[in-house]
Amino acid sequence: MTLWRTLVPLVLFSLASLPTWAGGGDGAVAALGKRLAPLETLSARFNQTVTSADGYIAQETTGKLTVARPGKVRWHSDPPYEQLVVSDAKTLWLHDPDLEQVTVRPFSNDISRTPAVLFIGAVDDLARDYAVTAEEEGNRSLYWLAPKGSDALYERISIEFVDDQPTAMALWDSLGQVTRIGFSEVVVNGPVNDADFRFTPPPGVDILHDD
């Protein structure tokens, strides 16, 4: 699986716990939008696990994520699976040091195709692109998003908050593969370095354009 599909794109949560409240429709969309709207920047360490349909752990990675409105992303996974994704809201770069390759593509602000944009995209687009349901138990809130478009990369997405802080995300694709991402050391609306969202390909790498 490429990082385009595992980006974005959140300590793993138990899906078996029974919620004390559940709901869907406009109320769930409004509740999720209320949590996302104040988020201008987010930085965190992440731990990502990709599990195949038969339950085999295909990949485990750690790294650092930084996002900022509008459309700025920096996702850097640690060795031995090092990759760097950078967006300045216009262009998205994927640098794979092992392959000595940089892939360049236009940045898409479409949350139906790039789930990471949920944190930095247009909150008003939630109702258009997703059917949303919610579960709540104590200070923990779990939102389920089902893409409405037939061309979405994922069949369903879940986002967990504890209080108002995002703590986890999971994404299910059409092949039954599940990507789970846990956040730690989360800082919401802290200062970020704008230079983190700029990228110049290193000398000697192959540059591929994916338009």
Side-chain angles (χ1 to χ4, degrees), residues 28-211:
V29 171
L32 178 56
K34 185 177 180 180
R35 293 186 185 279
L36 294 175
L39 195 157
E40 295 295 329
T41 68
L42 171 70
S43 61
R45 292 287 302 172
F46 67 81
N47 186 312
Q48 175 178 279
T49 302
V50 179
T51 306
S52 64
D54 59 4
Y56 172 74
I57 296 178
Q59 187 183 81
E60 291 184 89
T61 56
T62 60
K64 174 87 181 280
L65 168 68
T66 306
V67 296
R69 292 187 191 274
K72 296 179 180 179
V73 177
R74 185 180 182 89
W75 172 286
H76 191 188
S77 55
D78 300 326
Y81 302 109
E82 185 176 10
Q83 285 185 315
L84 174 65
V85 173
V86 178
S87 168
D88 63 359
K90 295 181 180 179
T91 303
L92 191 67
W93 295 271
L94 168 61
H95 179 210
D96 191 319
D98 290 338
L99 297 178
E100 297 184 335
Q101 179 176 292
V102 174
T103 303
V104 185
R105 66 177 293 184
F107 175 75
S108 172
N109 202 41
D110 182 354
I111 62 175
S112 69
R113 296 193 60 82
T114 310
V117 181
L118 283 167
F119 295 110
I120 52 175
V123 173
D124 292 343
D125 291 343
L126 279 172
R128 181 196 70 192
D129 294 330
Y130 292 97
V132 181
T133 58
E135 301 176 6
E136 195 167 277
E137 184 175 19
N139 65 342
R140 171 183 173 271
S141 300
L142 179 62
Y143 297 91
W144 295 92
L145 294 85
K148 294 181 178 179
S150 59
D151 62 341
L153 295 178
Y154 302 98
E155 292 190 339
R156 58 177 172 149
I157 301 167
S158 65
I159 304 176
E160 183 191 52
F161 290 80
V162 173
D163 295 321
D164 291 324
Q165 182 169 288
T167 56
M169 172 179 268
L171 309 98
W172 287 258
D173 69 18
S174 59
L175 300 178
Q177 188 166 257
V178 184
T179 299
R180 294 184 172 93
I181 308 167
F183 286 161
S184 62
E185 302 175 29
V186 177
V187 177
V188 174
N189 293 339
V192 296
N193 188 345
D194 200 56
D196 287 342
F197 308 113
R198 296 192 292 268
F199 180 77
T200 301
V205 300
D206 293 328
I207 300 178
L208 308 176
H209 291 272
D210 179 10
D211 298 324

